[in-house]
Amino acid sequence: MNMISMIAIIVSSSLVYSAPLIFTALGGTFSERSGVVNVGLEGIMTVGAFSAAVFNLSMASTFGHMTPWISMIFGGFIGLLFSLIHAVATINLRADHIVSGTVINLMAPGLTVFLTKMMFDGHGQTDLLRQTFGKFSFPILKDIPLLGPIFFKDTSAPAYVAILVAFLSYFIIFKTKFGLRLRSVGENPQAADTLGINVYAMKYAGVLISGFLGGMGGAVAVQSISGQFSVSTIAGQGFIAMAAMIFGKWNPISVMFAAIFFGLSQSLAVIGNLIPGIRELPSVYLQAAPYVLTVLVLVIFIGKSQGPKAIGKTYVKSK
């Protein structure tokens, strides 16, 4: 294997594993920019993955090759609905954000496994998906010398969609009135309220967007990595996405690059045996690497990364 081929495999694999993280981390960014901590991203990804898998299996004969994309949107919609629990609990009922998110993370695996066993004759996993994202080559771009084979041939289409969403998210958060209002609510909701901004509506918007993007992240994971849904389909990716969000300092572009970094660490467990210098390491080290990196990032950067000032604080309009 020549150097170009090896780099192409590393880039392609990294993009496959980073796509779910990018979507989910961007979702967390919207939520926390509004001042609501969303620890429940793991649970939201789980319900998104389950619903996308069921939709894929049910509608593959109808939508054909478009099934994974439509399933991704469907998974996002279910994630949005599921995130309503967190929104109501934290915004209206004034529950602790961490406790509410933890409840979602505990609820989602049990609920989806129960439904899986109900729908698939007692089995703990769904059938293999009929349509998956697979590998995609961009016409014309794949023929560019050097760069084409590395970035645009046999790669992950959802990853490039996620990258576009990251740039779109940056524009929305920092260049639009909606983004300005969202950030103002996360920084100082009392001041935003005096300016006529509906604080509760903006917080709901942030949480629901996080649910939609988190559900899409789960849908991409099940349709591009695992190929079927089980309780282990989403195993820590939501927490890794949160680490990417903190590492990226709540800036969508930085968050995207952080997610790609974590995606690379995840992919090494699969392609490590192809890379000189890494293939000699025990496989268990490579499998544990993403989670070790997550802990290290949180320990090193959580005190240095300054999030929105009102993050995690309950807002009461009368005060």
Side-chain angles (χ1 to χ4, degrees), residues 110-240:
L111 175 63
T112 52
V113 169
F114 170 76
L115 293 175
T116 299
K117 290 187 176 182
M118 289 287 292
M119 299 172 67
F120 295 92
D121 301 323
H123 296 153
Q125 66 280 331
T126 65
D127 299 333
L128 290 173
L129 301 185
R130 302 173 187 176
Q131 297 284 347
T132 59
F133 283 113
K135 294 182 178 180
F136 178 78
S137 296
F138 289 89
I140 302 176
L141 294 179
K142 65 182 177 63
D143 298 321
I144 298 175
L146 190 61
L147 295 179
I150 294 176
F151 293 103
F152 304 115
K153 185 177 180 181
D154 293 335
T155 188
S156 169
Y160 283 92
V161 173
I163 291 171
L164 288 176
V165 171
F167 283 97
L168 178 62
S169 298
Y170 177 87
F171 178 80
I172 291 173
I173 291 175
F174 292 106
K175 303 296 181 181
T176 66
K177 289 183 179 179
F178 172 82
L180 178 60
R181 291 172 179 173
L182 188 77
R183 288 184 286 123
S184 67
V185 167
E187 293 290 339
N188 193 327
Q190 284 80 13
D193 194 8
T194 60
L195 294 173
I197 297 173
N198 189 328
V199 174
Y200 292 136
M202 296 309 300
K203 286 182 177 291
Y204 262 95
V207 176
L208 295 184
I209 291 173
S210 78
F212 183 74
L213 292 176
M216 288 177 65
V220 171
V222 75
Q223 294 181 109
S224 61
I225 298 174
S226 62
Q228 64 179 166
F229 177 81
S230 68
V231 70
S232 61
T233 298
I234 305 299
Q237 287 95 322
F239 297 107
I240 295 174

